[in-house]
Amino acid sequence: MIRHIVMWNLKDHAEGADKSINLEKATKLLLSCAQVVPGIRAFEVAVATPGMDCTNDLVLHMLLDDAQVLAAYQNHPDHLAIKPFMRAVVQERRCMDFTVE
């Protein structure tokens, strides 16, 4: 299995909206991709909890059957469609993929 984790920090203002509005939109867009391909075992999207010590605004955590499922997800038209918005509102992105047993 593959664990796919992506963390973002968003710009304070982008696409005519402030960070809180863009976090809501980004969350909805990401969640719309939760079942785009078979083999996604877990799909979580979370926004940082106010008042807690954290380093990122938004996180995506996925558990997938294998690297082929990850590739299918990354190349799915629904996933590709959200990338322009994410690029426009994101200040910083971090990603890690690793094998789990």
Side-chain angles (χ1 to χ4, degrees), residues 9 13 16 27 34 38 40 53-54 63 67 72 75 77 88 93-94 96 100:
N9 282 320
H13 296 281
T27 298
I40 296 174
D53 186 24
C54 59
L63 185 61
N75 292 299
R93 177 185 178 272
R94 296 179 192 159
M96 184 171 180
V100 293

Side-chain angles (χ1 to χ4, degrees), residues 23 37 48 50 52 83:
L23 279 169
V37 295
M52 296 192 72
K83 285 188 166 194

Side-chain angles (χ1 to χ4, degrees), residues 1 37-41 63-66 69:
M1 297 185 83
V37 295
I40 296 174
R41 300 296 171 196
L63 185 61
L64 308 107
D65 283 345
D66 54 37
V69 175

Side-chain angles (χ1 to χ4, degrees), residues 33-84:
C33 294
Q35 298 180 0
V36 295
V37 295
I40 296 174
R41 300 296 171 196
F43 192 102
E44 298 174 284
V45 178
V47 174
T49 301
M52 296 192 72
D53 186 24
C54 59
T55 57
N56 295 102
D57 297 321
L58 181 67
V59 64
L60 167 66
H61 171 243
M62 297 175 68
L63 185 61
L64 308 107
D65 283 345
D66 54 37
Q68 289 77 21
V69 175
L70 178 58
Y73 168 78
Q74 290 177 328
N75 292 299
H76 191 279
D78 290 354
H79 177 255
L80 295 174
I82 71 173
K83 285 188 166 194

